[in-house]
Amino acid sequence: MKKLILAVSLLAAAFVNTGCELTGDPSQGGIFWSPTKAAERQEQLRQELNAREQELQELNRRNSSLRSTRSNLR
């Protein structure tokens, strides 16, 4: 009986481990949490944020330049 319980437990553990992947994004679910994947995800989000902030700064500079040009034309 103990061997049967052990065998079923091992089989269940193997099934669970093959069906779940590590995740660093809680919105994507997943039972197992990976600090490494979470850190990678955070770094990727930081890089994306920095790129968008640079784009916004460039758009603000361009907007300021166009307003200046418009003011000079009046």
Side-chain angles (χ1 to χ4, degrees):
M1 183 68 167
K2 288 182 182 181
K3 288 183 180 182
L4 178 60
I5 293 172
L6 180 61
V8 169
S9 297
L10 289 174
L11 183 60
F15 179 73
V16 168
N17 285 333
T18 58
C20 298
E21 66 179 77
L22 294 175
T23 180
D25 185 354
S27 68
Q28 291 182 356
I31 295 173
F32 301 105
W33 178 256
S34 168
T36 304
K37 286 192 175 189
E40 290 171 357
R41 179 176 172 267
Q42 288 174 345
E43 181 59 30
Q44 179 184 10
L45 290 172
R46 269 190 217 98
Q47 290 175 359
E48 185 178 330
L49 177 62
N50 288 338
R52 289 183 182 207
E53 285 176 341
Q54 289 176 356
E55 181 181 359
L56 178 60
Q57 289 174 359
E58 180 58 35
L59 289 172
N60 284 335
R61 281 193 288 274
R62 177 77 174 136
N63 190 24
S64 178
S65 174
L66 290 172
R67 285 179 189 215
S68 177
T69 301
R70 185 180 69 182
S71 293
N72 291 336
L73 292 174
R74 288 183 179 180

